[in-house]
Amino acid sequence: TLFPYTTLFRSQENKDAMISALDNVTTLEMTFAAHDSEFDGQQITKGQILGLVEHKVKHVGKDRFEIMDRFADFMKDASYVTVFYGEGVSDYEAEKMEKRLTEMLGEDTSVTVIEGGQPLYYYLISVEK
C-alpha cells in the first residue's frame, strides 16, 4: 500500500520544514546570576539579572523589565514573539510585561505570553522573524 510511504514522506517534509524554520527563530532567556563571576570582561554579581541570546550572556541588569527592554532590539521586525514565564514570575508581572512588549513592538508583531512554570528562568522567549 502507499499509506506508509505517504506518511513517511510527509513526516520527512514536516521535519525539513521545521529545520528550515529554525533559521528564522531566535531564543532569548532571562535568569539570574547564581554567584559572582566575570563574563567577557564584565563583572557579574550574584543575584543580577542575566539576558541570554542563543544561550550566551548579552545583558546584565538590575531588574527583569530592564533586560526585557534590552531584548527588544532582538525582537524588532519579528512576526511572532512567544514568551513563557517561569515559576518566579507572578501573573501580574507577566501581564505588565506583555503590555510593555506589545507597546514596544507595535501591532505588526503578535505577542503571546504563556505560563511555562519553568524553574530558574524567569522568561524563555521565542522570536520568529
Side-chain angles (χ1 to χ4, degrees), residues 2-49:
L2 292 177
F3 181 73
Y5 174 75
T6 304
T7 303
L8 178 62
F9 176 73
R10 287 187 181 148
S11 295
Q12 185 62 45
E13 189 177 87
N14 288 342
K15 179 181 174 184
D16 292 344
M18 287 188 282
I19 289 170
S20 176
L22 286 175
D23 292 338
N24 297 318
V25 176
T26 301
T27 302
L28 310 175
E29 302 157 307
M30 190 184 308
T31 189
F32 59 93
H35 51 80
D36 293 348
S37 61
E38 182 181 324
F39 183 79
D40 280 346
Q42 180 173 332
Q43 292 297 319
I44 299 172
T45 304
K46 180 180 178 178
Q48 282 187 301
I49 306 301

mmCIF file of all heavy atoms in Angstrom, residues 2-49:
data_model
loop_
_atom_site.group_PDB
_atom_site.id
_atom_site.type_symbol
_atom_site.label_atom_id
_atom_site.label_comp_id
_atom_site.label_asym_id
_atom_site.label_seq_id
_atom_site.Cartn_x
_atom_site.Cartn_y
_atom_site.Cartn_z
ATOM 1 N N LEU A 2 0.290 2.358 -0.369
ATOM 2 C CA LEU A 2 1.011 3.630 -0.409
ATOM 3 C C LEU A 2 0.997 4.368 0.916
ATOM 4 O O LEU A 2 1.783 5.270 1.137
ATOM 5 C CB LEU A 2 0.415 4.535 -1.494
ATOM 6 C CG LEU A 2 0.629 4.085 -2.927
ATOM 7 C CD1 LEU A 2 -0.077 5.038 -3.872
ATOM 8 C CD2 LEU A 2 2.105 4.024 -3.265
ATOM 9 N N PHE A 3 0.103 4.000 1.812
ATOM 10 C CA PHE A 3 -0.063 4.751 3.050
ATOM 11 C C PHE A 3 1.236 4.912 3.845
ATOM 12 O O PHE A 3 1.589 6.032 4.192
ATOM 13 C CB PHE A 3 -1.163 4.129 3.914
ATOM 14 C CG PHE A 3 -1.392 4.894 5.191
ATOM 15 C CD1 PHE A 3 -2.027 6.122 5.161
ATOM 16 C CD2 PHE A 3 -0.930 4.413 6.405
ATOM 17 C CE1 PHE A 3 -2.220 6.857 6.329
ATOM 18 C CE2 PHE A 3 -1.112 5.136 7.568
ATOM 19 C CZ PHE A 3 -1.760 6.353 7.529
ATOM 20 N N PRO A 4 1.979 3.842 4.151
ATOM 21 C CA PRO A 4 3.212 4.041 4.927
ATOM 22 C C PRO A 4 4.208 4.963 4.225
ATOM 23 O O PRO A 4 4.845 5.790 4.853
ATOM 24 C CB PRO A 4 3.777 2.630 5.093
ATOM 25 C CG PRO A 4 2.597 1.742 4.949
ATOM 26 C CD PRO A 4 1.703 2.436 3.945
ATOM 27 N N TYR A 5 4.331 4.839 2.912
ATOM 28 C CA TYR A 5 5.263 5.693 2.179
ATOM 29 C C TYR A 5 4.803 7.150 2.244
ATOM 30 O O TYR A 5 5.600 8.054 2.498
ATOM 31 C CB TYR A 5 5.378 5.250 0.715
ATOM 32 C CG TYR A 5 6.210 6.200 -0.101
ATOM 33 C CD1 TYR A 5 7.599 6.206 0.027
ATOM 34 C CD2 TYR A 5 5.619 7.129 -0.947
ATOM 35 C CE1 TYR A 5 8.375 7.097 -0.691
ATOM 36 C CE2 TYR A 5 6.382 8.020 -1.664
ATOM 37 C CZ TYR A 5 7.761 8.005 -1.537
ATOM 38 O OH TYR A 5 8.525 8.888 -2.240
ATOM 39 N N THR A 6 3.509 7.368 2.043
ATOM 40 C CA THR A 6 2.965 8.731 2.078
ATOM 41 C C THR A 6 3.181 9.355 3.452
ATOM 42 O O THR A 6 3.593 10.502 3.563
ATOM 43 C CB THR A 6 1.461 8.719 1.735
ATOM 44 O OG1 THR A 6 1.305 8.091 0.471
ATOM 45 C CG2 THR A 6 0.890 10.108 1.691
ATOM 46 N N THR A 7 2.945 8.593 4.501
ATOM 47 C CA THR A 7 3.146 9.087 5.859
ATOM 48 C C THR A 7 4.617 9.415 6.096
ATOM 49 O O THR A 7 4.949 10.462 6.649
ATOM 50 C CB THR A 7 2.649 8.055 6.888
ATOM 51 O OG1 THR A 7 1.281 7.783 6.624
ATOM 52 C CG2 THR A 7 2.815 8.568 8.304
ATOM 53 N N LEU A 8 5.493 8.533 5.670
ATOM 54 C CA LEU A 8 6.931 8.758 5.819
ATOM 55 C C LEU A 8 7.351 10.007 5.064
ATOM 56 O O LEU A 8 8.099 10.834 5.559
ATOM 57 C CB LEU A 8 7.723 7.545 5.334
ATOM 58 C CG LEU A 8 9.238 7.672 5.390
ATOM 59 C CD1 LEU A 8 9.681 7.863 6.835
ATOM 60 C CD2 LEU A 8 9.892 6.450 4.786
ATOM 61 N N PHE A 9 6.850 10.162 3.840
ATOM 62 C CA PHE A 9 7.206 11.325 3.030
ATOM 63 C C PHE A 9 6.749 12.611 3.717
ATOM 64 O O PHE A 9 7.497 13.564 3.816
ATOM 65 C CB PHE A 9 6.587 11.222 1.630
ATOM 66 C CG PHE A 9 6.844 12.429 0.784
ATOM 67 C CD1 PHE A 9 8.107 12.664 0.251
ATOM 68 C CD2 PHE A 9 5.844 13.361 0.545
ATOM 69 C CE1 PHE A 9 8.371 13.784 -0.515
ATOM 70 C CE2 PHE A 9 6.095 14.487 -0.219
ATOM 71 C CZ PHE A 9 7.357 14.692 -0.751
ATOM 72 N N ARG A 10 5.537 12.625 4.213
ATOM 73 C CA ARG A 10 5.035 13.817 4.893
ATOM 74 C C ARG A 10 5.809 14.096 6.166
ATOM 75 O O ARG A 10 6.056 15.243 6.508
ATOM 76 C CB ARG A 10 3.542 13.677 5.180
ATOM 77 C CG ARG A 10 2.700 13.807 3.944
ATOM 78 C CD ARG A 10 1.245 13.845 4.270
ATOM 79 N NE ARG A 10 0.485 13.950 3.046
ATOM 80 C CZ ARG A 10 -0.701 13.430 2.869
ATOM 81 N NH1 ARG A 10 -1.284 12.761 3.861
ATOM 82 N NH2 ARG A 10 -1.335 13.566 1.738
ATOM 83 N N SER A 11 6.192 13.067 6.882
ATOM 84 C CA SER A 11 6.979 13.244 8.097
ATOM 85 C C SER A 11 8.315 13.893 7.773
ATOM 86 O O SER A 11 8.749 14.816 8.455
ATOM 87 C CB SER A 11 7.216 11.902 8.798
ATOM 88 O OG SER A 11 6.008 11.366 9.241
ATOM 89 N N GLN A 12 8.967 13.417 6.722
ATOM 90 C CA GLN A 12 10.247 13.991 6.313
ATOM 91 C C GLN A 12 10.052 15.425 5.836
ATOM 92 O O GLN A 12 10.844 16.304 6.147
ATOM 93 C CB GLN A 12 10.906 13.147 5.214
ATOM 94 C CG GLN A 12 12.292 13.629 4.842
ATOM 95 C CD GLN A 12 13.281 13.577 5.994
ATOM 96 O OE1 GLN A 12 13.352 12.599 6.725
ATOM 97 N NE2 GLN A 12 14.047 14.646 6.192
ATOM 98 N N GLU A 13 8.980 15.656 5.107
ATOM 99 C CA GLU A 13 8.663 17.007 4.620
ATOM 100 C C GLU A 13 8.453 17.964 5.795
ATOM 101 O O GLU A 13 8.966 19.077 5.799
ATOM 102 C CB GLU A 13 7.398 16.929 3.757
ATOM 103 C CG GLU A 13 7.050 18.184 3.011
ATOM 104 C CD GLU A 13 5.825 17.956 2.151
ATOM 105 O OE1 GLU A 13 4.702 18.135 2.674
ATOM 106 O OE2 GLU A 13 5.996 17.590 0.977
ATOM 107 N N ASN A 14 7.714 17.515 6.805
ATOM 108 C CA ASN A 14 7.483 18.337 8.000
ATOM 109 C C ASN A 14 8.778 18.588 8.753
ATOM 110 O O ASN A 14 9.037 19.700 9.213
ATOM 111 C CB ASN A 14 6.464 17.675 8.926
ATOM 112 C CG ASN A 14 5.060 17.724 8.370
ATOM 113 O OD1 ASN A 14 4.763 18.508 7.486
ATOM 114 N ND2 ASN A 14 4.211 16.853 8.875
ATOM 115 N N LYS A 15 9.591 17.550 8.888
ATOM 116 C CA LYS A 15 10.879 17.691 9.570
ATOM 117 C C LYS A 15 11.754 18.710 8.854
ATOM 118 O O LYS A 15 12.347 19.591 9.480
ATOM 119 C CB LYS A 15 11.586 16.342 9.638
ATOM 120 C CG LYS A 15 12.934 16.382 10.304
ATOM 121 C CD LYS A 15 13.588 15.009 10.308
ATOM 122 C CE LYS A 15 14.994 15.077 10.849
ATOM 123 N NZ LYS A 15 15.665 13.779 10.769
ATOM 124 N N ASP A 16 11.833 18.613 7.521
ATOM 125 C CA ASP A 16 12.638 19.550 6.732
ATOM 126 C C ASP A 16 12.125 20.981 6.892
ATOM 127 O O ASP A 16 12.913 21.923 7.020
ATOM 128 C CB ASP A 16 12.638 19.164 5.255
ATOM 129 C CG ASP A 16 13.379 17.856 4.990
ATOM 130 O OD1 ASP A 16 14.134 17.401 5.878
ATOM 131 O OD2 ASP A 16 13.179 17.290 3.900
ATOM 132 N N ALA A 17 10.805 21.147 6.912
ATOM 133 C CA ALA A 17 10.216 22.489 7.080
ATOM 134 C C ALA A 17 10.545 23.065 8.446
ATOM 135 O O ALA A 17 10.855 24.253 8.570
ATOM 136 C CB ALA A 17 8.703 22.419 6.868
ATOM 137 N N MET A 18 10.499 22.228 9.487
ATOM 138 C CA MET A 18 10.803 22.709 10.839
ATOM 139 C C MET A 18 12.275 23.088 10.967
ATOM 140 O O MET A 18 12.602 24.103 11.577
ATOM 141 C CB MET A 18 10.426 21.654 11.880
ATOM 142 C CG MET A 18 8.928 21.538 12.075
ATOM 143 S SD MET A 18 8.483 20.464 13.459
ATOM 144 C CE MET A 18 8.709 18.863 12.722
ATOM 145 N N ILE A 19 13.152 22.289 10.396
ATOM 146 C CA ILE A 19 14.586 22.598 10.453
ATOM 147 C C ILE A 19 14.863 23.897 9.717
ATOM 148 O O ILE A 19 15.613 24.751 10.190
ATOM 149 C CB ILE A 19 15.418 21.427 9.886
ATOM 150 C CG1 ILE A 19 15.360 20.252 10.866
ATOM 151 C CG2 ILE A 19 16.860 21.850 9.644
ATOM 152 C CD1 ILE A 19 15.931 18.965 10.333
ATOM 153 N N SER A 20 14.214 24.085 8.579
ATOM 154 C CA SER A 20 14.380 25.325 7.820
ATOM 155 C C SER A 20 13.864 26.528 8.599
ATOM 156 O O SER A 20 14.460 27.607 8.576
ATOM 157 C CB SER A 20 13.638 25.201 6.489
ATOM 158 O OG SER A 20 13.705 26.398 5.777
ATOM 159 N N ALA A 21 12.761 26.352 9.313
ATOM 160 C CA ALA A 21 12.166 27.450 10.087
ATOM 161 C C ALA A 21 13.063 27.893 11.229
ATOM 162 O O ALA A 21 12.999 29.046 11.665
ATOM 163 C CB ALA A 21 10.803 27.031 10.615
ATOM 164 N N LEU A 22 13.928 26.997 11.728
ATOM 165 C CA LEU A 22 14.819 27.349 12.835
ATOM 166 C C LEU A 22 15.739 28.516 12.487
ATOM 167 O O LEU A 22 16.153 29.260 13.374
ATOM 168 C CB LEU A 22 15.662 26.145 13.257
ATOM 169 C CG LEU A 22 14.931 25.074 14.040
ATOM 170 C CD1 LEU A 22 15.852 23.881 14.294
ATOM 171 C CD2 LEU A 22 14.394 25.621 15.342
ATOM 172 N N ASP A 23 16.039 28.687 11.214
ATOM 173 C CA ASP A 23 16.884 29.806 10.790
ATOM 174 C C ASP A 23 16.220 31.149 11.065
ATOM 175 O O ASP A 23 16.882 32.175 11.111
ATOM 176 C CB ASP A 23 17.217 29.697 9.298
ATOM 177 C CG ASP A 23 18.134 28.523 8.994
ATOM 178 O OD1 ASP A 23 18.842 28.063 9.917
ATOM 179 O OD2 ASP A 23 18.139 28.067 7.836
ATOM 180 N N ASN A 24 14.914 31.144 11.238
ATOM 181 C CA ASN A 24 14.160 32.375 11.458
ATOM 182 C C ASN A 24 13.730 32.561 12.907
ATOM 183 O O ASN A 24 12.913 33.423 13.204
ATOM 184 C CB ASN A 24 12.926 32.401 10.547
ATOM 185 C CG ASN A 24 13.304 32.406 9.097
ATOM 186 O OD1 ASN A 24 14.229 33.092 8.687
ATOM 187 N ND2 ASN A 24 12.614 31.604 8.297
ATOM 188 N N VAL A 25 14.253 31.736 13.814
ATOM 189 C CA VAL A 25 13.865 31.795 15.218
ATOM 190 C C VAL A 25 15.088 32.130 16.072
ATOM 191 O O VAL A 25 16.153 31.549 15.911
ATOM 192 C CB VAL A 25 13.254 30.454 15.692
ATOM 193 C CG1 VAL A 25 12.944 30.494 17.183
ATOM 194 C CG2 VAL A 25 12.004 30.123 14.896
ATOM 195 N N THR A 26 14.913 33.088 16.968
ATOM 196 C CA THR A 26 15.948 33.441 17.936
ATOM 197 C C THR A 26 15.407 33.115 19.318
ATOM 198 O O THR A 26 14.247 33.396 19.618
ATOM 199 C CB THR A 26 16.294 34.944 17.851
ATOM 200 O OG1 THR A 26 16.742 35.236 16.537
ATOM 201 C CG2 THR A 26 17.370 35.328 18.849
ATOM 202 N N THR A 27 16.248 32.530 20.156
ATOM 203 C CA THR A 27 15.852 32.175 21.513
ATOM 204 C C THR A 27 16.486 33.155 22.503
ATOM 205 O O THR A 27 17.692 33.391 22.456
ATOM 206 C CB THR A 27 16.296 30.742 21.851
ATOM 207 O OG1 THR A 27 15.712 29.852 20.906
ATOM 208 C CG2 THR A 27 15.870 30.353 23.253
ATOM 209 N N LEU A 28 15.654 33.708 23.371
ATOM 210 C CA LEU A 28 16.108 34.610 24.431
ATOM 211 C C LEU A 28 15.741 33.974 25.769
ATOM 212 O O LEU A 28 14.692 33.349 25.896
ATOM 213 C CB LEU A 28 15.419 35.969 24.305
ATOM 214 C CG LEU A 28 15.449 36.644 22.932
ATOM 215 C CD1 LEU A 28 14.613 37.916 22.948
ATOM 216 C CD2 LEU A 28 16.869 36.940 22.520
ATOM 217 N N GLU A 29 16.610 34.151 26.753
ATOM 218 C CA GLU A 29 16.371 33.600 28.080
ATOM 219 C C GLU A 29 16.726 34.645 29.124
ATOM 220 O O GLU A 29 17.686 35.391 28.947
ATOM 221 C CB GLU A 29 17.253 32.368 28.310
ATOM 222 C CG GLU A 29 17.038 31.264 27.291
ATOM 223 C CD GLU A 29 18.227 30.333 27.177
ATOM 224 O OE1 GLU A 29 19.354 30.829 26.960
ATOM 225 O OE2 GLU A 29 18.017 29.118 27.305
ATOM 226 N N MET A 30 15.943 34.675 30.197
ATOM 227 C CA MET A 30 16.233 35.592 31.288
ATOM 228 C C MET A 30 16.304 34.785 32.579
ATOM 229 O O MET A 30 15.381 34.049 32.913
ATOM 230 C CB MET A 30 15.150 36.666 31.397
ATOM 231 C CG MET A 30 15.523 37.783 32.355
ATOM 232 S SD MET A 30 14.212 39.022 32.600
ATOM 233 C CE MET A 30 13.786 39.501 30.943
ATOM 234 N N THR A 31 17.426 34.948 33.278
ATOM 235 C CA THR A 31 17.642 34.223 34.524
ATOM 236 C C THR A 31 18.404 35.126 35.488
ATOM 237 O O THR A 31 18.422 36.348 35.293
ATOM 238 C CB THR A 31 18.388 32.891 34.253
ATOM 239 O OG1 THR A 31 18.407 32.109 35.446
ATOM 240 C CG2 THR A 31 19.781 33.105 33.724
ATOM 241 N N PHE A 32 19.027 34.560 36.496
ATOM 242 C CA PHE A 32 19.772 35.339 37.476
ATOM 243 C C PHE A 32 21.148 34.723 37.663
ATOM 244 O O PHE A 32 21.351 33.533 37.411
ATOM 245 C CB PHE A 32 19.035 35.396 38.817
ATOM 246 C CG PHE A 32 18.800 34.038 39.405
ATOM 247 C CD1 PHE A 32 19.712 33.496 40.300
ATOM 248 C CD2 PHE A 32 17.684 33.295 39.051
ATOM 249 C CE1 PHE A 32 19.510 32.229 40.828
ATOM 250 C CE2 PHE A 32 17.469 32.033 39.579
ATOM 251 C CZ PHE A 32 18.386 31.493 40.462
ATOM 252 N N ALA A 33 22.077 35.543 38.117
ATOM 253 C CA ALA A 33 23.430 35.054 38.405
ATOM 254 C C ALA A 33 23.403 34.309 39.738
ATOM 255 O O ALA A 33 23.003 34.861 40.750
ATOM 256 C CB ALA A 33 24.414 36.215 38.460
ATOM 257 N N ALA A 34 23.842 33.057 39.719
ATOM 258 C CA ALA A 34 23.840 32.238 40.928
ATOM 259 C C ALA A 34 25.027 32.549 41.834
ATOM 260 O O ALA A 34 25.001 32.243 43.019
ATOM 261 C CB ALA A 34 23.850 30.761 40.558
ATOM 262 N N HIS A 35 26.059 33.183 41.255
ATOM 263 C CA HIS A 35 27.249 33.538 42.038
ATOM 264 C C HIS A 35 28.001 34.658 41.327
ATOM 265 O O HIS A 35 27.729 34.959 40.165
ATOM 266 C CB HIS A 35 28.159 32.321 42.242
ATOM 267 C CG HIS A 35 28.477 31.612 40.957
ATOM 268 N ND1 HIS A 35 29.437 32.044 40.079
ATOM 269 C CD2 HIS A 35 27.940 30.496 40.412
ATOM 270 C CE1 HIS A 35 29.487 31.224 39.038
ATOM 271 N NE2 HIS A 35 28.585 30.285 39.210
ATOM 272 N N ASP A 36 28.919 35.284 42.024
ATOM 273 C CA ASP A 36 29.748 36.315 41.410
ATOM 274 C C ASP A 36 30.627 35.668 40.345
ATOM 275 O O ASP A 36 31.119 34.549 40.527
ATOM 276 C CB ASP A 36 30.655 36.978 42.450
ATOM 277 C CG ASP A 36 29.887 37.791 43.475
ATOM 278 O OD1 ASP A 36 28.687 38.031 43.270
ATOM 279 O OD2 ASP A 36 30.496 38.188 44.480
ATOM 280 N N SER A 37 30.799 36.363 39.230
ATOM 281 C CA SER A 37 31.640 35.830 38.165
ATOM 282 C C SER A 37 32.051 36.962 37.236
ATOM 283 O O SER A 37 31.726 38.127 37.462
ATOM 284 C CB SER A 37 30.898 34.742 37.386
ATOM 285 O OG SER A 37 29.730 35.270 36.781
ATOM 286 N N GLU A 38 32.758 36.591 36.193
ATOM 287 C CA GLU A 38 33.151 37.537 35.157
ATOM 288 C C GLU A 38 32.854 36.891 33.813
ATOM 289 O O GLU A 38 33.111 35.702 33.609
ATOM 290 C CB GLU A 38 34.644 37.850 35.260
ATOM 291 C CG GLU A 38 35.102 38.867 34.239
ATOM 292 C CD GLU A 38 36.584 39.162 34.338
ATOM 293 O OE1 GLU A 38 37.117 39.180 35.462
ATOM 294 O OE2 GLU A 38 37.191 39.377 33.280
ATOM 295 N N PHE A 39 32.282 37.668 32.901
ATOM 296 C CA PHE A 39 31.983 37.151 31.571
ATOM 297 C C PHE A 39 32.350 38.215 30.545
ATOM 298 O O PHE A 39 31.873 39.339 30.620
ATOM 299 C CB PHE A 39 30.498 36.778 31.445
ATOM 300 C CG PHE A 39 30.156 36.167 30.128
ATOM 301 C CD1 PHE A 39 30.443 34.829 29.873
ATOM 302 C CD2 PHE A 39 29.571 36.932 29.136
ATOM 303 C CE1 PHE A 39 30.141 34.261 28.651
ATOM 304 C CE2 PHE A 39 29.268 36.370 27.910
ATOM 305 C CZ PHE A 39 29.551 35.037 27.669
ATOM 306 N N ASP A 40 33.193 37.882 29.603
ATOM 307 C CA ASP A 40 33.659 38.823 28.581
ATOM 308 C C ASP A 40 34.155 40.128 29.195
ATOM 309 O O ASP A 40 33.843 41.221 28.714
ATOM 310 C CB ASP A 40 32.552 39.112 27.560
ATOM 311 C CG ASP A 40 32.418 38.021 26.519
ATOM 312 O OD1 ASP A 40 33.336 37.177 26.412
ATOM 313 O OD2 ASP A 40 31.417 38.031 25.791
ATOM 314 N N GLY A 41 34.883 40.025 30.294
ATOM 315 C CA GLY A 41 35.439 41.203 30.943
ATOM 316 C C GLY A 41 34.454 41.981 31.782
ATOM 317 O O GLY A 41 34.792 43.025 32.345
ATOM 318 N N GLN A 42 33.233 41.512 31.884
ATOM 319 C CA GLN A 42 32.200 42.210 32.645
ATOM 320 C C GLN A 42 31.988 41.492 33.980
ATOM 321 O O GLN A 42 31.790 40.282 34.017
ATOM 322 C CB GLN A 42 30.890 42.212 31.852
ATOM 323 C CG GLN A 42 29.764 42.913 32.568
ATOM 324 C CD GLN A 42 28.540 43.040 31.675
ATOM 325 O OE1 GLN A 42 28.650 43.104 30.465
ATOM 326 N NE2 GLN A 42 27.379 43.093 32.279
ATOM 327 N N GLN A 43 32.053 42.253 35.071
ATOM 328 C CA GLN A 43 31.815 41.693 36.397
ATOM 329 C C GLN A 43 30.317 41.436 36.577
ATOM 330 O O GLN A 43 29.499 42.303 36.297
ATOM 331 C CB GLN A 43 32.317 42.635 37.482
ATOM 332 C CG GLN A 43 33.822 42.777 37.522
ATOM 333 C CD GLN A 43 34.511 41.454 37.848
ATOM 334 O OE1 GLN A 43 34.066 40.700 38.706
ATOM 335 N NE2 GLN A 43 35.596 41.184 37.146
ATOM 336 N N ILE A 44 29.988 40.261 37.043
ATOM 337 C CA ILE A 44 28.603 39.894 37.312
ATOM 338 C C ILE A 44 28.504 39.560 38.790
ATOM 339 O O ILE A 44 29.307 38.799 39.320
ATOM 340 C CB ILE A 44 28.179 38.685 36.461
ATOM 341 C CG1 ILE A 44 28.279 39.033 34.970
ATOM 342 C CG2 ILE A 44 26.767 38.234 36.824
ATOM 343 C CD1 ILE A 44 28.060 37.859 34.043
ATOM 344 N N THR A 45 27.514 40.160 39.445
ATOM 345 C CA THR A 45 27.315 39.969 40.877
ATOM 346 C C THR A 45 26.142 39.024 41.109
ATOM 347 O O THR A 45 25.122 39.104 40.412
ATOM 348 C CB THR A 45 27.010 41.326 41.551
ATOM 349 O OG1 THR A 45 28.081 42.229 41.250
ATOM 350 C CG2 THR A 45 26.880 41.180 43.049
ATOM 351 N N LYS A 46 26.308 38.150 42.090
ATOM 352 C CA LYS A 46 25.249 37.215 42.444
ATOM 353 C C LYS A 46 23.919 37.954 42.578
ATOM 354 O O LYS A 46 23.846 39.011 43.204
ATOM 355 C CB LYS A 46 25.594 36.520 43.759
ATOM 356 C CG LYS A 46 24.547 35.526 44.223
ATOM 357 C CD LYS A 46 24.951 34.870 45.521
ATOM 358 C CE LYS A 46 23.860 33.913 45.974
ATOM 359 N NZ LYS A 46 24.215 33.211 47.195
ATOM 360 N N GLY A 47 22.881 37.405 41.946
ATOM 361 C CA GLY A 47 21.551 37.993 42.022
ATOM 362 C C GLY A 47 21.200 38.916 40.869
ATOM 363 O O GLY A 47 20.020 39.221 40.667
ATOM 364 N N GLN A 48 22.188 39.384 40.106
ATOM 365 C CA GLN A 48 21.874 40.240 38.965
ATOM 366 C C GLN A 48 21.082 39.447 37.935
ATOM 367 O O GLN A 48 21.174 38.220 37.847
ATOM 368 C CB GLN A 48 23.145 40.786 38.317
ATOM 369 C CG GLN A 48 23.761 41.934 39.067
ATOM 370 C CD GLN A 48 24.919 42.557 38.299
ATOM 371 O OE1 GLN A 48 25.885 41.874 37.981
ATOM 372 N NE2 GLN A 48 24.822 43.843 38.026
ATOM 373 N N ILE A 49 20.316 40.168 37.134
ATOM 374 C CA ILE A 49 19.501 39.543 36.097
ATOM 375 C C ILE A 49 20.340 39.418 34.826
ATOM 376 O O ILE A 49 21.002 40.381 34.416
ATOM 377 C CB ILE A 49 18.225 40.375 35.819
ATOM 378 C CG1 ILE A 49 17.455 40.632 37.124
ATOM 379 C CG2 ILE A 49 17.346 39.675 34.786
ATOM 380 C CD1 ILE A 49 17.008 39.401 37.859
#
